Amino acid sequence: MLWIFLLILAALAALGFVGARALSRRRATAAGVRSHSRPNQHGYYALIWILVPSLFVLILGGVLSGSIADNLLAAGAPAEVNELEPMQRAAFFDDARRIGVGSAPLQIWEAPLSEQLPREARRSVQIDRTLTLGAGVAALLLAVLGGLWVFLRIKPDLRARNAVEAWVGVLLFACSAVAVLTTLGIVASLLWDALRFFDKVPVTEFLFGIKWSPQIAIRADQVGSTGAFGAVPLFAGTFLIMLIAMAVAAPVGLFSAIYLSEYASRTSRAVVKPVLEILAGVPTVVYGFFAALTVGPAFRVFFNTIGGWLAGGPLDGIGQYLLLVQNQMALVAGAVMGIMLIPFVSSLSDDILNAVPQSLRDGSYAMGATKSETVKKVLMPAALPGIAGALLLAVSRAIGETMIVTMAAGLAANLTLNPLDTVTTVTVQIVTLLTGDQEFDSAKTLAAFGLGLTLFLVTLALNIVAQRIVQTYREQYD
């Protein structure tokens, strides 16, 4: 039924647009004066006043119809239903709605509730239809009234253009407000739950503790009834994997950008750049599969082979350790994450290098410098602030990555800087803590919000530093 109302509204809006445009021409011609606004702007003015109030009513009806239907169902329910516990009553009404739309109920109800269920299903369908019909009729009525009001106002001196521009400004402001309010809501919810966590766990223990074991038992006599919430192993694992990733992405991405910007021909650039940027479109879970099924086993075989060569010799201890290396390690996750970041670094660096004026290159060549000397002595110093900002943005991306680390580095919270050990990161632990059934009043679940707040502050600081570097050291060219 809702689609019928939407089609009627669309038809009314189209008629209003055409009619307002024709009416503005006719009245301007009859008055013998030039209209302030163009005919199309009068049409848009009518379109807005027909659609906006009616769509607002439909949206408001959709938001409020659920609670109104619940209240009407509860008000007219038989005594047997009203005597149920609140959760059971809600489950009964939910099954009634399911039967009303042709689905099977989720529970088996005994008499007399089973006898009342079909009746309540029919009543639920009737209530939903009545509410939808009421909202649709109200929307159509507002659309008609809005169109009549606009048609009565149309005349040569009507400033329809100004009104349409004002509506456009309101729309743009609303979009901006949604973005800002969403950000504020995320920060507020994160901060609220993080403060609840820090009420249970001291900040000093969280920031400086070296043991992470957030296993809180339900009963006090169970093993692990007191958890350990020292996040230093998570910070160390995040830093280690980020360092390995940037060791791969920074040189390869930067050298790729230099080649594409300065050395590649048009044909080579047209081939290499799209192929390189294909990596940016690969989902991170695919990188995780690649790390777990290809890179991890290859690294394990490589280090196990070296360990076999060293075992029994002067470096027997190192050999025995390398023989125990497994598929999951920080080196695998960091290397694959670095591959993922290559197109990110390369694209940003390429844009920055191309922004350096050609006159600087020409002046360097005129002084007798070679292409490599020009890149090293002229382009890189000029583009260095932008490249530094791009690398810091890549660091933020690496810190926030989850899937690759989950599948390639393991879940063990080890305090180590050894790239061959299994480690975990802040983002992986957030996912782990919020997976499955959780109690949002326990320190174990609230720890995810403490980690999220820390991660948010770190990435925010990195982004601010990147912007300040670019703004402070950016060169201005004519």
mmCIF file of all heavy atoms in Angstrom, residues 113-131:
data_model
loop_
_atom_site.group_PDB
_atom_site.id
_atom_site.type_symbol
_atom_site.label_atom_id
_atom_site.label_comp_id
_atom_site.label_asym_id
_atom_site.label_seq_id
_atom_site.Cartn_x
_atom_site.Cartn_y
_atom_site.Cartn_z
ATOM 1 N N LEU A 113 -4.073 -19.351 24.747
ATOM 2 C CA LEU A 113 -3.309 -18.395 23.938
ATOM 3 C C LEU A 113 -3.267 -18.810 22.478
ATOM 4 O O LEU A 113 -3.302 -17.963 21.580
ATOM 5 C CB LEU A 113 -1.891 -18.265 24.502
ATOM 6 C CG LEU A 113 -1.788 -17.676 25.911
ATOM 7 C CD1 LEU A 113 -0.345 -17.674 26.380
ATOM 8 C CD2 LEU A 113 -2.344 -16.256 25.930
ATOM 9 N N SER A 114 -3.190 -20.126 22.232
ATOM 10 C CA SER A 114 -3.155 -20.591 20.840
ATOM 11 C C SER A 114 -4.449 -20.241 20.108
ATOM 12 O O SER A 114 -4.440 -20.046 18.887
ATOM 13 C CB SER A 114 -2.921 -22.098 20.814
ATOM 14 O OG SER A 114 -3.958 -22.783 21.511
ATOM 15 N N GLU A 115 -5.555 -20.169 20.838
ATOM 16 C CA GLU A 115 -6.818 -19.805 20.214
ATOM 17 C C GLU A 115 -6.905 -18.300 19.945
ATOM 18 O O GLU A 115 -7.593 -17.864 19.013
ATOM 19 C CB GLU A 115 -7.982 -20.238 21.110
ATOM 20 C CG GLU A 115 -8.003 -21.751 21.384
ATOM 21 C CD GLU A 115 -9.021 -22.111 22.441
ATOM 22 O OE1 GLU A 115 -9.636 -21.170 23.006
ATOM 23 O OE2 GLU A 115 -9.194 -23.304 22.720
ATOM 24 N N GLN A 116 -6.222 -17.527 20.784
ATOM 25 C CA GLN A 116 -6.256 -16.077 20.613
ATOM 26 C C GLN A 116 -5.267 -15.603 19.545
ATOM 27 O O GLN A 116 -5.408 -14.485 19.024
ATOM 28 C CB GLN A 116 -5.916 -15.389 21.943
ATOM 29 C CG GLN A 116 -6.884 -15.663 23.065
ATOM 30 C CD GLN A 116 -8.231 -14.999 22.821
ATOM 31 O OE1 GLN A 116 -8.355 -14.107 21.984
ATOM 32 N NE2 GLN A 116 -9.263 -15.452 23.544
ATOM 33 N N LEU A 117 -4.289 -16.443 19.195
ATOM 34 C CA LEU A 117 -3.222 -16.008 18.289
ATOM 35 C C LEU A 117 -3.748 -15.623 16.900
ATOM 36 O O LEU A 117 -3.393 -14.545 16.390
ATOM 37 C CB LEU A 117 -2.159 -17.113 18.188
ATOM 38 C CG LEU A 117 -0.800 -16.696 17.619
ATOM 39 C CD1 LEU A 117 -0.192 -15.573 18.443
ATOM 40 C CD2 LEU A 117 0.138 -17.901 17.587
ATOM 41 N N PRO A 118 -4.607 -16.430 16.240
ATOM 42 C CA PRO A 118 -5.114 -16.000 14.913
ATOM 43 C C PRO A 118 -5.914 -14.707 14.975
ATOM 44 O O PRO A 118 -5.804 -13.859 14.068
ATOM 45 C CB PRO A 118 -5.978 -17.184 14.467
ATOM 46 C CG PRO A 118 -5.482 -18.353 15.255
ATOM 47 C CD PRO A 118 -5.069 -17.802 16.574
ATOM 48 N N ARG A 119 -6.690 -14.549 16.062
ATOM 49 C CA ARG A 119 -7.483 -13.324 16.183
ATOM 50 C C ARG A 119 -6.569 -12.110 16.314
ATOM 51 O O ARG A 119 -6.790 -11.069 15.669
ATOM 52 C CB ARG A 119 -8.394 -13.446 17.395
ATOM 53 C CG ARG A 119 -9.176 -12.171 17.717
ATOM 54 C CD ARG A 119 -10.071 -12.367 18.931
ATOM 55 N NE ARG A 119 -10.655 -11.111 19.343
ATOM 56 C CZ ARG A 119 -10.071 -10.239 20.168
ATOM 57 N NH1 ARG A 119 -8.856 -10.502 20.639
ATOM 58 N NH2 ARG A 119 -10.673 -9.112 20.510
ATOM 59 N N GLU A 120 -5.525 -12.236 17.141
ATOM 60 C CA GLU A 120 -4.599 -11.112 17.312
ATOM 61 C C GLU A 120 -3.802 -10.860 16.037
ATOM 62 O O GLU A 120 -3.422 -9.714 15.761
ATOM 63 C CB GLU A 120 -3.647 -11.395 18.485
ATOM 64 C CG GLU A 120 -4.328 -11.431 19.838
ATOM 65 C CD GLU A 120 -5.039 -10.125 20.137
ATOM 66 O OE1 GLU A 120 -4.392 -9.060 20.042
ATOM 67 O OE2 GLU A 120 -6.248 -10.157 20.437
ATOM 68 N N ALA A 121 -3.555 -11.919 15.255
ATOM 69 C CA ALA A 121 -2.857 -11.728 13.978
ATOM 70 C C ALA A 121 -3.702 -10.888 13.034
ATOM 71 O O ALA A 121 -3.195 -9.966 12.370
ATOM 72 C CB ALA A 121 -2.531 -13.080 13.362
ATOM 73 N N ARG A 122 -4.994 -11.208 12.957
ATOM 74 C CA ARG A 122 -5.878 -10.422 12.097
ATOM 75 C C ARG A 122 -5.980 -8.980 12.584
ATOM 76 O O ARG A 122 -5.995 -8.033 11.783
ATOM 77 C CB ARG A 122 -7.264 -11.063 12.058
ATOM 78 C CG ARG A 122 -7.311 -12.401 11.312
ATOM 79 C CD ARG A 122 -8.747 -12.849 11.085
ATOM 80 N NE ARG A 122 -9.436 -13.115 12.348
ATOM 81 C CZ ARG A 122 -9.451 -14.301 12.957
ATOM 82 N NH1 ARG A 122 -8.786 -15.325 12.418
ATOM 83 N NH2 ARG A 122 -10.118 -14.477 14.083
ATOM 84 N N ARG A 123 -6.030 -8.810 13.893
ATOM 85 C CA ARG A 123 -6.123 -7.457 14.434
ATOM 86 C C ARG A 123 -4.823 -6.681 14.175
ATOM 87 O O ARG A 123 -4.849 -5.464 13.903
ATOM 88 C CB ARG A 123 -6.404 -7.528 15.940
ATOM 89 C CG ARG A 123 -7.004 -6.242 16.508
ATOM 90 C CD ARG A 123 -7.652 -6.499 17.842
ATOM 91 N NE ARG A 123 -6.686 -6.923 18.839
ATOM 92 C CZ ARG A 123 -6.012 -6.074 19.635
ATOM 93 N NH1 ARG A 123 -6.225 -4.773 19.521
ATOM 94 N NH2 ARG A 123 -5.173 -6.529 20.529
ATOM 95 N N SER A 124 -3.695 -7.370 14.243
ATOM 96 C CA SER A 124 -2.409 -6.719 13.949
ATOM 97 C C SER A 124 -2.350 -6.240 12.508
ATOM 98 O O SER A 124 -1.915 -5.109 12.229
ATOM 99 C CB SER A 124 -1.262 -7.692 14.233
ATOM 100 O OG SER A 124 -0.030 -7.168 13.801
ATOM 101 N N VAL A 125 -2.806 -7.087 11.574
ATOM 102 C CA VAL A 125 -2.820 -6.684 10.168
ATOM 103 C C VAL A 125 -3.742 -5.493 9.960
ATOM 104 O O VAL A 125 -3.422 -4.543 9.233
ATOM 105 C CB VAL A 125 -3.252 -7.884 9.291
ATOM 106 C CG1 VAL A 125 -3.474 -7.434 7.844
ATOM 107 C CG2 VAL A 125 -2.217 -8.989 9.353
ATOM 108 N N GLN A 126 -4.897 -5.501 10.629
ATOM 109 C CA GLN A 126 -5.853 -4.397 10.483
ATOM 110 C C GLN A 126 -5.272 -3.101 11.034
ATOM 111 O O GLN A 126 -5.425 -2.033 10.432
ATOM 112 C CB GLN A 126 -7.150 -4.749 11.198
ATOM 113 C CG GLN A 126 -8.246 -3.709 11.026
ATOM 114 C CD GLN A 126 -9.525 -4.118 11.738
ATOM 115 O OE1 GLN A 126 -9.581 -5.159 12.379
ATOM 116 N NE2 GLN A 126 -10.560 -3.285 11.608
ATOM 117 N N ILE A 127 -4.593 -3.189 12.174
ATOM 118 C CA ILE A 127 -3.989 -1.978 12.754
ATOM 119 C C ILE A 127 -2.910 -1.427 11.836
ATOM 120 O O ILE A 127 -2.833 -0.217 11.588
ATOM 121 C CB ILE A 127 -3.422 -2.302 14.150
ATOM 122 C CG1 ILE A 127 -4.565 -2.541 15.141
ATOM 123 C CG2 ILE A 127 -2.527 -1.177 14.636
ATOM 124 C CD1 ILE A 127 -4.106 -3.012 16.502
ATOM 125 N N ASP A 128 -2.063 -2.308 11.289
ATOM 126 C CA ASP A 128 -0.992 -1.852 10.401
ATOM 127 C C ASP A 128 -1.571 -1.198 9.147
ATOM 128 O O ASP A 128 -1.078 -0.153 8.697
ATOM 129 C CB ASP A 128 -0.092 -3.023 10.016
ATOM 130 C CG ASP A 128 0.752 -3.512 11.189
ATOM 131 O OD1 ASP A 128 0.930 -2.729 12.143
ATOM 132 O OD2 ASP A 128 1.232 -4.662 11.149
ATOM 133 N N ARG A 129 -2.606 -1.801 8.597
ATOM 134 C CA ARG A 129 -3.221 -1.215 7.405
ATOM 135 C C ARG A 129 -3.849 0.133 7.708
ATOM 136 O O ARG A 129 -3.752 1.078 6.914
ATOM 137 C CB ARG A 129 -4.278 -2.164 6.857
ATOM 138 C CG ARG A 129 -3.703 -3.398 6.166
ATOM 139 C CD ARG A 129 -4.808 -4.305 5.679
ATOM 140 N NE ARG A 129 -4.275 -5.471 4.987
ATOM 141 C CZ ARG A 129 -5.008 -6.484 4.549
ATOM 142 N NH1 ARG A 129 -6.337 -6.474 4.747
ATOM 143 N NH2 ARG A 129 -4.450 -7.505 3.926
ATOM 144 N N THR A 130 -4.481 0.244 8.866
ATOM 145 C CA THR A 130 -5.117 1.511 9.230
ATOM 146 C C THR A 130 -4.078 2.608 9.415
ATOM 147 O O THR A 130 -4.255 3.742 8.934
ATOM 148 C CB THR A 130 -5.924 1.331 10.523
ATOM 149 O OG1 THR A 130 -6.899 0.292 10.345
ATOM 150 C CG2 THR A 130 -6.631 2.626 10.897
ATOM 151 N N LEU A 131 -2.981 2.278 10.085
ATOM 152 C CA LEU A 131 -1.934 3.278 10.284
ATOM 153 C C LEU A 131 -1.299 3.688 8.965
ATOM 154 O O LEU A 131 -1.044 4.880 8.732
ATOM 155 C CB LEU A 131 -0.866 2.721 11.234
ATOM 156 C CG LEU A 131 -1.302 2.518 12.687
ATOM 157 C CD1 LEU A 131 -0.186 1.867 13.494
ATOM 158 C CD2 LEU A 131 -1.692 3.850 13.321
#
